[in-house]
């Protein structure tokens, strides 16, 4: 069982997460505190769950070897090395940059196997913001570990928001602001499968455990950032999630390693 009473946040340097109210979360972040990922279960990303992303593929979805749009959720794993929290420093590996996908993370509260859509919310502890990062690439049907599973490529938080605070997870505003530029905006309302249906379809073939996260999926057109950028992600009125993007040399210097 994984439960959240209000807002679960795990400040860097503290042994355990704290369950506090929204004001306490913002007060902590205002001090410049960095955070760890507030949960440590498995994290599953969902592809092609945004109507615009699916439409952008055009006739390619009907080409071999698949010959049709996906009939079930297309999932990939964000392994443990990718997990990071608010204030993370993420290495930009090359000239392609890093795509910053902001997604709603569904945090599982109790074991979910073959869950009906009508019962799905009973298995949810809360929600969080997931910065699902990737190196831009063309393949969508076969998610590449090389492009999606680099260190710190799954930034979560800053907090898990209890389910009771989120009246309609299928109608939440999403934004990604890079430096001082106009924000990229999207909504969870554009998904192919909403929260309940996604859980029903996924748990039809696999079990989700308490503390696991499954993302609703990255909106189409997510911005690409390069070295030196700072991205601030937000969902609704939740506390925002900040990420700094650095060159490989910057992390080596911080670790006291000569380039």
């Amino acid at each position: 069982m994984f439960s959240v009473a209000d807002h679960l946040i795990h400040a860097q340097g503290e042994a355990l997460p704290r369950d506090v109210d929204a004001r306490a979360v913002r007060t902590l972040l205002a001090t410049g505190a960095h955070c760890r990922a507030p949960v440590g279960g498995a994290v599953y990303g969902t592809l092609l769950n945004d109507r615009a992303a699916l439409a952008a593929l055009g006739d390619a979805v009907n080409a071999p070897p698949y010959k049709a749009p996906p009939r079930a959720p297309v999932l990939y794993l964000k392994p443990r090395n990718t997990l990071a929290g608010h204030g993370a420093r993420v290495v930009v590996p090359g000239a392609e940059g890093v795509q910053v996908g902001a997604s709603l993370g569904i945090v599982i509260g109790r074991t979910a196997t073959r869950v009906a859509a009508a019962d799905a919310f009973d298995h949810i502890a809360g929600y969080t913001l997931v910065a699902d990062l990737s190196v831009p690439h063309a393949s969508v049907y076969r998610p590449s570990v090389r492009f999606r599973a680099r260190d710190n490529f799954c930034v979560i938080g800053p907090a898990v928001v209890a389910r009771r605070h989120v009246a309609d997870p299928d109608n939440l505003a999403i934004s990604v602001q890079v430096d001082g530029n106009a924000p990229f905006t999207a909504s969870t309302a554009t998904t192919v499968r909403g929260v309940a249906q996604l859980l029903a379809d996924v748990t039809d073939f696999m079990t989700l455990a308490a503390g696991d996260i499954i993302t609703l999926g990255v909106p189409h057109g997510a911005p690409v950032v390069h070295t030196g950028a700072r991205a601030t992600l937000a969902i609704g009125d939740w506390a925002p999630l900040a990420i700094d993007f650095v060159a490989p040399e910057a992390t080596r210097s911080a670790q006291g390693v000569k380039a």
Side-chain angles (χ1 to χ4, degrees):
M1 190 80 175
F2 180 88
S3 63
V4 182
D6 209 317
H7 290 69
L8 192 71
I9 189 166
H10 194 171
Q12 194 75 44
E14 295 187 0
L16 297 171
R18 284 187 275 160
D19 205 328
V20 298
D21 61 22
R23 179 179 296 180
V25 171
R26 290 187 177 275
T27 298
L28 176 66
L29 299 183
T31 68
H34 288 199
C35 299
R36 299 172 64 180
V39 289
V43 180
Y44 301 95
T46 304
L47 279 176
L48 300 179
N49 196 36
D50 179 75
R51 295 192 191 102
L54 198 56
L57 293 178
D59 290 337
V61 296
N62 298 311
Y66 303 102
K67 301 182 181 179
R71 296 183 179 87
V74 181
L75 304 180
Y76 53 94
L77 179 68
K78 300 293 278 194
R80 188 173 297 277
N81 69 292
T82 67
L83 304 187
H86 173 77
R89 287 161 57 88
V90 175
V91 170
V92 179
E96 304 94 337
V98 174
Q99 187 170 46
V100 184
S103 181
L104 178 69
I106 306 161
V107 184
I108 304 302
R110 60 189 178 96
T111 303
T113 303
R114 297 190 179 278
V115 174
D119 301 324
F121 292 106
D122 293 337
H123 292 74
I124 296 173
Y127 303 92
T128 192
L129 200 167
V130 177
D132 189 348
L133 309 180
S134 65
V135 176
H137 58 288
S139 174
V140 292
Y141 281 109
R142 292 176 180 170
S144 171
V145 171
R146 180 181 178 85
F147 295 141
R148 291 186 178 272
R150 291 176 177 265
D151 293 348
N152 293 359
F153 261 37
C154 184
V155 188
I156 304 172
V160 176
V161 180
R163 187 186 71 197
R164 66 185 177 88
H165 289 309
V166 184
D168 186 1
D170 293 321
N171 190 24
L172 294 172
I174 296 172
S175 69
V176 181
Q177 185 167 34
V178 180
D179 298 325
N181 300 322
F184 165 82
T185 59
S187 171
T188 60
T190 65
T191 53
V192 176
R193 292 175 175 85
V195 169
Q197 193 60 54
L198 179 64
L199 254 61
D201 289 350
V202 168
T203 61
D204 185 56
F205 62 84
M206 64 181 283
T207 296
L208 296 174
D212 286 350
I213 295 175
I214 184 165
T215 73
L216 198 58
V218 171
H220 181 62
V224 174
V225 302
H226 298 276
T227 299
R230 182 177 176 87
T232 303
L233 296 74
I235 289 182
D237 61 355
W238 303 357
L241 180 67
I243 309 169
D244 290 311
F245 292 88
V246 301
E249 294 78 10
T251 54
R252 285 199 291 266
S253 297
Q255 294 167 355
V257 179
K258 294 182 179 179

